[in-house]
Amino acid sequence: MAERILITGGTGYIGSHTAVVLSQLGHDIVLYDNLSNSSDAILDVLQEITGKPIPFVKGDIRDTDLVIHTLKSHNIDAIIHFAGLKAVGESVEKPLDYFANNIQGAISLLKALQTQSINTFIFSSSATVYGEPQYLPFDEEHPTNALTPYGRSKKHVEEILKDLASSNPALRISCLRYFNPVGAHESGLIGENPKGKPNNIMPFIAQVAIGDREELCVFGDDYPTSDGTGVRDYIHVMDLAEGHASSLAFLENNTGWHAFNLGSGTGFSVLELIHAFEEEANCTIPYRIIGRRAGDIAEYYSNPDKAAKLLGWKTKRNLNEMCSSTWQFQKKLN
């Protein structure tokens, strides 16, 4: 069933790809973003990909009145909430900013939602809620013990949503715990394009490959992994976007609070990622090993079985496709 969906953080990396998937499924999309880490130039690109204009509201999610006005004026049925600060290292330096933006922002959004009796809410959460693995792969029953202000902000919002669902049996809430989103839309027109120095590894590798940066710094090569570098579960952003569509369909028939891992279930090391990118871009990525980064763990990857069983969703795209789509996007950027 087609719905009218508000996507907060909608001009950002994951929000924009999700907007494409949902728009192409026939949903009416409205994007809401304060443009702190994105640009409204993407609106023309989204129109080119989808073949139709997507309404946009510039605003902060902490502006509850503006959110309410947006929900009313566009007659919104469901909210997908991406907006938030997301750099783990920065969250350690600026914890108040993270709690104000991510937690206060979510509360503002939820208050607005209540005024309009909107019951469907999908939250962009993170595998960082799990913290240090007690076992691998992470399943949804793994204890949550976030280690950073960023991770704790996600965990707190999940708990708020769980309490909210307990208070109102009509609510339909899904917390999607992402692993490591990478890659770009197959058109090469949208992808991960952070302002300033990238916090994530894939755009950094792409910028080294294109010549914008001299080298990649690899944080530690003495972890108990196959090659000593950190192992992560990388997921193509289009698989992730499709996961949101699957979650939306699931919530049509399921009330309550639900958590799902969105990952591939396979871990790749930093060096494996570098070599895969070199293969796709036909170049050499200069890198330098430096010390471990505070807060990093040796490896983590998902058990995505719950999403496969209940959402009918699993990843389709492999590591080489993640690298090749990133490279196509980077070449178009330059």
Side-chain angles (χ1 to χ4, degrees):
M1 185 178 73
E3 294 192 83
R4 294 172 296 276
I5 303 164
L6 181 72
I7 300 181
T8 72
T11 57
Y13 175 42
I14 304 170
S16 60
H17 288 77
T18 303
V20 167
V21 167
L22 293 175
S23 180
Q24 290 175 337
L25 287 172
H27 298 290
D28 293 321
I29 306 301
V30 178
L31 306 182
Y32 188 104
D33 204 301
N34 66 2
L35 303 179
S36 64
N37 194 34
S38 60
S39 165
D40 59 4
I42 200 169
L43 298 171
D44 290 337
V45 184
L46 292 177
Q47 182 169 346
E48 183 179 344
I49 295 171
T50 63
K52 54 189 171 186
I54 297 180
F56 169 67
V57 177
K58 183 181 179 183
D60 194 295
I61 52 172
R62 289 171 288 185
D63 185 345
T64 313
D65 290 340
L66 181 58
V67 176
I68 290 171
H69 174 75
T70 304
L71 298 176
K72 274 184 181 175
S73 60
H74 292 279
N75 203 17
I76 296 295
D77 300 310
I79 296 173
I80 302 181
H81 176 35
F82 294 103
L85 299 176
K86 63 182 181 64
V88 172
E90 183 185 60
S91 79
V92 177
E93 297 164 12
K94 302 174 180 176
L96 272 185
D97 287 356
Y98 273 69
F99 292 134
N101 197 300
N102 295 3
I103 299 174
Q104 188 181 333
I107 291 170
S108 166
L109 195 57
L110 292 165
K111 283 186 171 179
L113 172 149
Q114 282 188 323
T115 69
Q116 302 308 300
S117 300
I118 295 168
N119 293 327
T120 303
F121 190 89
I122 296 176
F123 175 53
S124 162
S125 191
S126 166
T128 58
V129 300
Y130 295 120
E132 194 76 39
Q134 295 182 16
Y135 58 83
L136 286 171
F138 284 129
D139 58 27
E140 290 83 355
E141 301 306 311
H142 188 287
T144 53
N145 183 30
L147 302 175
T148 64
Y150 166 70
R152 280 190 283 273
S153 74
K154 293 291 188 185
K155 180 173 180 283
H156 290 331
V157 174
E158 281 200 9
E159 289 167 345
I160 289 166
L161 290 169
K162 191 181 284 189
D163 288 339
L164 201 58
S166 296
S167 74
N168 180 355
L171 289 177
R172 304 164 184 270
I173 296 174
S174 188
C175 294
L176 304 181
R177 295 170 178 169
Y178 310 163
F179 280 71
N180 292 71
V182 295
H185 187 263
E186 54 265 26
S187 66
L189 295 173
I190 57 172
E192 188 171 9
N193 185 24
K195 291 182 178 178
K197 186 177 179 181
N199 288 303
N200 297 331
I201 188 169
M202 189 69 104
F204 209 109
I205 290 175
Q207 289 178 16
V208 172
I210 207 81
D212 288 348
R213 296 186 184 276
E214 285 186 17
E215 63 180 4
L216 173 74
C217 289
V218 175
F219 297 102
D221 64 348
D222 58 349
Y223 286 107
T225 61
S226 59
D227 59 25
T229 64
V231 169
R232 299 291 180 265
D233 184 339
Y234 297 100
I235 173 175
H236 197 294
V237 68
M238 290 304 293
D239 282 328
L240 186 60
E242 288 163 7
H244 289 77
S246 298
S247 181
L248 192 66
F250 169 81
L251 292 178
E252 282 183 19
N253 301 307
N254 293 274
T255 58
W257 181 94
H258 308 271
F260 295 102
N261 286 338
L262 294 188
S264 71
T266 304
F268 291 98
S269 75
V270 173
L271 294 186
E272 286 176 316
L273 179 62
I274 291 170
H275 297 326
F277 200 100
E278 288 177 329
E279 185 181 325
E280 292 303 319
N282 193 26
C283 69
T284 299
I285 307 291
Y287 67 88
R288 179 165 51 98
I289 306 290
I290 60 174
R292 293 186 184 190
R293 186 169 51 181
D296 275 352
I297 56 180
E299 61 180 332
Y300 65 85
Y301 48 94
S302 68
N303 177 342
D305 290 351
K306 184 179 176 184
K309 181 180 177 183
L310 297 183
L311 303 184
W313 171 92
K314 60 182 179 180
T315 58
K316 303 172 189 169
R317 299 159 179 91
N318 62 30
L319 186 65
N320 286 75
E321 289 171 285
M322 299 176 206
C323 294
S324 62
S325 62
T326 301
W327 181 232
Q328 295 310 312
F329 172 67
Q330 186 66 49
K331 286 192 292 185
K332 281 195 160 113
L333 267 186
N334 285 62

